[in-house]
Every structure is written in C-alpha cells, then in structure tokens.
C-alpha cells in the first residue's frame, strides 16, 4: 500500500507498507511494489503532477538494503535533490507544541521500540 501527499505540481511518497511471508514472497512483493509506483506515476501524470518525490535517498549506502533502495529509486530515472523542511511556530501554543514534539523525538531516539515477543 502506498500513501502519498499531493500538492500540485508534485506528489510525495509518505509511506509504503509491505508485508512479506515465505521465501518466494520478496520477489513477488518487489514486482508488485514497482507496479504500484508505476501506476501512481501514471495517475499523477494524468492529474498534471510534474514531480514524483520518493521521500529521500540514503546518503550512506553501506548496507545492501540501503544501496538497493537507492538503486530502486534511480532505476525509475530519479535524481537526488537537496531540500529542506522546517516548522516555524506562529503562536505561543505553536512554540509549546514544537518543544514537546522535539522532546518526544529525542526521547524516541534514545529509547527505540523493542521487538514484540522479547522479554524486558
């Protein structure tokens, strides 16, 4: 399943959910994923979208998984583009919310989730 955000003239991938079962599944899932991306691109092109944003590439390709994901994106003809995002608070409530969000993200980095089924 793909979740995208559409803000003309571009569309951005937000999330790709894949569930694999068995040894043969990764090949079939990979093919289905490529087909879904292709169908997304065709639909967005028909809607006048000019840019399909994959949501970033890994700068560090030291693992086969990261290198494979980057290769997958380049195989569609994609090119890396540096972009920056920021959130600016426009009110006191916004400043409080941003401080809480940043504290939560920091806590999450220090305390990554544990896999299910493992003893504490």
């Amino acid at each position: 399943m793909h979740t995208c955000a559409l803000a003309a003239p571009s569309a951005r991938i937000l999330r790709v959910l894949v569930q694999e079962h068995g040894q043969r599944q990764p090949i079939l899932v990979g093919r289905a994923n490529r087909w879904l991306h292709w169908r997304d691109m065709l639909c967005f092109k028909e809607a006048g979208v000019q840019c399909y944003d994959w949501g970033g590439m890994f700068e560090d390709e030291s693992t086969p998984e990261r290198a494979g994901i980057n290769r997958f994106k380049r195989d569609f003809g994609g090119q890396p583009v540096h972009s920056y995002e920021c959130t600016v608070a426009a009110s006191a409530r916004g400043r409080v919310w941003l401080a809480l969000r940043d504290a939560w993200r920091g806590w999450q980095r220090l305390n990554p989730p544990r896999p299910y089924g493992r003893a504490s």
Side-chain angles (χ1 to χ4, degrees):
M1 178 176 84
H2 293 176
T3 304
C4 302
L6 180 60
S10 65
R12 181 175 194 179
I13 290 286
L14 297 178
R15 186 162 302 211
V16 176
L17 299 175
V18 176
Q19 193 170 16
E20 297 181 13
H21 301 285
Q23 291 181 346
R24 186 156 159 70
Q25 288 298 106
I27 294 170
L28 298 175
V29 168
R31 288 180 182 162
N33 193 37
R34 278 183 177 274
W35 183 81
L36 282 173
H37 279 293
W38 180 246
R39 295 299 305 165
D40 288 345
M41 289 178 193
L42 292 176
C43 289
F44 288 136
K45 183 177 180 181
E46 192 174 301
V49 171
Q50 300 170 2
C51 177
Y52 188 73
D53 184 348
W54 291 95
M57 295 180 74
F58 292 104
E59 290 186 22
D60 173 20
E61 292 189 11
S62 60
T63 65
E65 293 82 14
R66 288 181 172 198
I69 290 170
N70 283 354
R71 185 173 43 256
F72 173 80
K73 293 175 180 183
R74 282 192 295 268
D75 283 350
F76 276 95
Q79 298 176 354
V81 174
H82 287 280
S83 63
Y84 303 93
E85 292 182 21
C86 74
T87 306
V88 177
S91 67
R93 183 184 295 178
R95 287 189 288 280
V96 169
W97 183 85
L98 285 177
L100 291 172
R101 182 200 66 181
D102 293 344
W104 173 252
R105 288 180 177 174
W107 183 85
Q108 285 182 313
R109 276 193 291 276
L110 294 173
N111 301 289
R114 294 186 184 130
Y116 290 109
R118 301 195 108 192
S120 299

